[in-house]
Amino acid sequence: MFFSYDQSAGFNRELVAAKYDGSGKRGPGRPRRAAEIRRLIITMASENGTWGYTRIRGALRNLGYDIGRNTIKRVLQEGGLDPAPERGRGTPWATFIAEHLGTIAAADFFSVEVLTWAGLVRFYVFFVIDIETRKVEIAGISRSPDALWMDQVARNLVDAADGFLLGKRYLILDRDPLYGTEFRATLNARGIRVLRLPAQSPDLNAYAERFVLSIKSECLGRLILLGEAHLRRAVREYMAHYHHERNHQGLANALIEETTPANTNGPVQRSARLGGLLNFYRREAA
């Protein structure tokens, strides 16, 4: 019996949903509303350096949220954001990114559910993206990443011969506890400054978030992954496609890396990876 990619993706989503269905244990309250308010407070403060608590409160009221100044103050403190006078003296985030292209990278994790003999197992994929070129390094895949594993990943990234972060000065990270003291110290020792983002601020790591959306929607979310080896092969195939065969809107719709010179004379051929899940087109060599 054969499944189409859409059928496979639907079956896989049902398995994942069943494993993590917590509806029977869900209690009262409005966690989604609270999370949205927190996200809005951090976003407004990050994008408007001169806005104080009262101004943010007014903007929230325009959206239907009546939040006290002390609540806004607490959220900003927990998110690591300074009050308006100090925050307004800094460089806007978008400006900082633009000014440091070529020397700045971002990192993040994403999780993938893999079907094994023991049932669904969650794997974590850690990657780093060069914001200027959009090149991505899959730094590691693990079922249970820990401090020792992360320290070794950091050493690989700053390896003097071929480390992905050679020449970089900044690395954007969220506040995941896996980015521990040893991990950050290894980077700092090689002259890489770690920029830790405020809590619950995915918009400030948009390049990494966009890559996660791409690899999941174009590849991993459309496969039923049967074991770790299958996961690693799928990621490897997608990364080859991502770097050499997929056009990127953020790069004026160009390829990241050209593997062969363009040929304008030969017949067009369709090429595929992962059984036709990833397609691209090229001409036969002259």
Side-chain angles (χ1 to χ4, degrees), residues 52-61 65-69 72:
Y53 306 138
T54 302
R55 180 65 187 276
I56 293 173
R57 185 185 184 192
L60 290 170
R61 183 176 293 170
Y65 299 124
D66 189 7
I67 307 301
R69 293 178 78 261
I72 296 170

Side-chain angles (χ1 to χ4, degrees), residues 26 39 43 72 86 95 98 101 109 113-114 160 172 180 248 258:
R26 191 174 297 131
R39 179 184 61 79
T43 298
I72 296 170
E86 290 79 10
T95 303
L101 283 179
F109 281 93
E113 299 296 334
V114 176
I172 299 172
H248 295 264
E258 292 274 4

